[in-house]
Amino acid sequence: MGTVKTILVTRLSAMGDVAMTIPVMKQVLEENPEVEIVFVTNLNWGALCAGIPRLHFFPAEVKGIHKGVKGLYRLFREVRTKWRIHAVADLHNVLRSKIIRTFFRFTGTPVAAIDKGRAEKKALTRRENKVLQPLTTTIERYAIVFRQLGLRCQMGQQAVFPRHSLPENVLVVTGPKNGKKWIGVAPFATYREKMYPLEKMEAVLALLAQEPGQQLLLMGGGPQEVTQLTVVAEKLPGAIVVAGRFSLAEEMAIISQLDVMISMDSANMHLASLFGIPAVSVWGATHPFAGFMGYGQSANHVVQIDDLACRPCSVFGNKPCFRGDHACMEWIKPAQIADKVNGVIS
């Protein structure tokens, strides 16, 4: 083995986007044994990097000590004090990551940045004359950045992590699996346009709860979501709210034990993908064609309305429905989702 090359990778964003970098970085490290990676990302996402040799997590506090240009310069200096950086892979290509890579460029460090394909995404999501075709996936866009730096990276479909055993404090809540089929349910998304209506999701869960030997584990984020899920769980025999009770590492252990995940186009689809857990994903305003499908997930497990001319209307689901009726979600019948889930389990 020659001298070690240290690559700085930046992605300072939401958990789903960061989760999609993990399979790519692991592949790079496997194919390039002389490389180590320093990954600069949100300080809350450290658990995503655990257990991957030669991947060093570096927490960025962009709302704290690394805020603004001054803070980013501090981050640049902190990284350089600890490692000799041979190249920078900017997987985000936003103002913050551009500033960081510019500091490195001034020191003569080679830099490569993601091409997000804005023009073709615009063509995919515009109202008139849509170009409805699959675009380069985000995973592949990440891989291209490493190839531009001269590294080998041919993506496969294999799971990134093995199943994790459940910690004691999790088992107290979930009980042991004991041959039951565990169904993770993550009904929330950042935007309403990406979320299946909760009362309809309740109907899906009522259908699934009728099947013997199936355990529903309800997942979500903030206090408001936990409250909503608690109300849902009270109506369903055997549903357990795991939202808001565990650390990210503990939630990942639970996800690794699932038989199937029900999610929106959201972070939980990407977390399930890291363990090779099939995700039945529900898509409304957004579309798998934009490139954000979970790594290694099957297109057969997607639930969406195909014949709506307005879909997709945005890449991230952050634009209000111009029809005003959210048909892309409202027209999906609960039985469609339940059938897909039962199909995966059987």
Side-chain angles (χ1 to χ4, degrees), residues 12 150 218 335:
L12 301 157
L218 310 186

Side-chain angles (χ1 to χ4, degrees), residues 275-324:
F275 297 98
I277 304 300
V280 170
S281 53
V282 185
W283 300 69
T286 60
H287 199 292
F289 279 6
F292 293 95
M293 182 75 166
Y295 165 73
Q297 293 291 347
S298 163
N300 297 333
H301 299 156
V302 168
V303 181
Q304 61 184 346
I305 301 287
D306 284 320
D307 47 3
L308 253 179
C310 54
R311 280 194 70 232
C313 60
S314 70
V315 175
F316 305 110
N318 54 349
K319 294 186 181 151
C321 173
F322 69 80
R323 285 173 55 109

